[in-house]
Amino acid sequence: MSRLELLNVLDNLLKPNEVKDYCPNGLQVEGKLRIKTIVTGVTASQRLIDAAIEHQADAILVHHGYFWKGEPAVVTGMKQRRLKALLTNDINLYAYHLPIDIHPELGNNAQLGSLLGLVNSQPLTDIAPNGIVFKATLAEPVTQQALTEKISQVLGRTPLVEGDSNKLIQHVAWCSGGGQGFIDQAAAAGMDAFISGEVSEQTIHSAREQDIHYFACGHHATERYGAKAVGDYLARELGLDVRFIDIDNPA
Ligand SMILES: [Zn+2]
């Protein structure tokens, strides 16, 4: 398919015009006209670009692309090397940030929820954009230890956990990536637990003083699933050759 046809498919699916974001969503770097092979990943890092080149990909699709609000506009250093590698190899870069977090089925939050067994999830109300924080109610209350074990098993890493280990958990809210600030809205909404990727110093105080369990599971680890799910959708619906490449990141 053509570069523009793929852009239209992705825009129709992810609806970037409906959210206010910190970066351009869609085609960020223009490459070759025809696209058959796509590499998906979390971040358009040099390692992912190198893997895409090795895989002879026509396009890369990521959650974290380039051109963030407030970053230096010049093309030097690390940014020059990344762009040079893409342009020299004629590889298209498609990036969708918040649209990949919030998509109701394929997004980071939706995918993370279903992997953790948080079924019948829905957006935690009144936070924009809709779907940036999800919530779900477990059929049976679970212990902090049980949820810790589930997260460790699903994500392949042990989360940082705060909260009263004797208090059971039934109502859970979550936001992938750097969503730790939403712990206050989760507590205000009466959630028993909040899950995010990153943690800040004050997140721990929020958890302690609002009596809410908190799990920091890693920015990368919680965002490995959205771009992958979108890629799987493209392979299924359009017959494209799509491969997800995980460039591990401990953060
Ligand atoms: Zn992120």
Side-chain angles (χ1 to χ4, degrees):
M1 77 184 334
S2 80
R3 183 207 298 136
L4 187 62
E5 283 167 338
L6 179 59
L7 179 64
N8 289 334
V9 168
L10 288 168
D11 279 351
N12 282 332
L13 181 70
L14 299 168
K15 304 188 172 32
N17 294 330
E18 293 180 11
V19 294
K20 224 174 121 217
D21 212 331
Y22 318 96
C23 63
N25 287 305
L27 183 63
Q28 288 194 338
V29 179
E30 191 176 290
K32 63 187 67 163
L33 182 63
R34 309 297 306 175
I35 295 173
K36 229 181 92 190
T37 305
I38 302 175
V39 158
T40 60
V42 179
T43 300
S45 63
Q46 188 69 54
R47 287 190 189 185
L48 185 71
I49 297 167
D50 293 345
I53 293 167
E54 202 184 300
H55 195 61
Q56 296 184 313
D58 306 311
I60 297 175
L61 169 69
V62 292
H63 174 50
H64 300 139
Y66 306 148
F67 315 120
W68 300 92
K69 204 170 161 183
E71 80 174 23
V74 295
V75 179
T76 56
M78 185 173 91
K79 194 179 191 179
Q80 185 269 352
R81 290 190 293 275
R82 290 171 166 186
L83 289 171
K84 185 178 180 181
L86 287 171
L87 293 167
T88 306
N89 290 279
D90 226 2
I91 297 175
N92 293 278
L93 175 66
Y94 297 85
Y96 292 84
H97 179 233
L98 292 179
I100 278 190
D101 284 322
I102 67 176
H103 189 278
E105 289 116 48
L106 306 175
N108 282 325
N109 284 332
Q111 292 288 315
L112 181 65
S114 57
L115 282 166
L116 294 176
L118 299 164
V119 294
N120 297 324
S121 60
Q122 48 179 298
L124 191 75
T125 45
D126 294 339
I127 301 175
N130 197 39
I132 195 67
V133 185
F134 269 40
K135 66 171 179 180
T137 301
L138 295 165
E140 299 285 337
V142 297
T143 62
Q144 185 192 68
Q145 195 191 338
L147 187 51
T148 304
E149 280 165 14
K150 178 75 180 175
I151 291 169
S152 305
Q153 172 222 321
V154 166
L155 298 181
R157 50 181 285 171
T158 313
L160 177 154
V161 182
E162 183 59 48
D164 177 0
S165 57
N166 295 315
K167 214 181 131 202
L168 292 175
I169 297 168
Q170 188 160 28
H171 303 284
V172 184
W174 66 97
C175 174
S176 70
Q180 64 269 47
F182 291 119
I183 189 172
D184 297 331
Q185 283 95 326
M191 297 291 117
D192 302 316
F194 181 66
I195 299 170
S196 69
E198 289 185 25
V199 58
S200 298
E201 192 269 352
Q202 70 255 37
T203 324
I204 302 303
H205 302 297
S206 280
R208 287 176 183 162
E209 293 172 36
Q210 296 175 101
D211 199 20
I212 182 170
H213 294 268
Y214 174 64
F215 301 80
C217 307
H219 191 135
H220 176 84
T222 55
E223 299 203 324
R224 268 190 302 228
Y225 307 102
K228 179 178 188 300
V230 173
D232 292 346
Y233 170 91
L234 296 176
R236 202 168 57 234
E237 298 294 319
L238 305 171
L240 292 164
D241 172 8
V242 185
R243 173 183 298 206
F244 175 76
I245 297 180
D246 187 30
I247 307 294
D248 189 43
N249 182 336

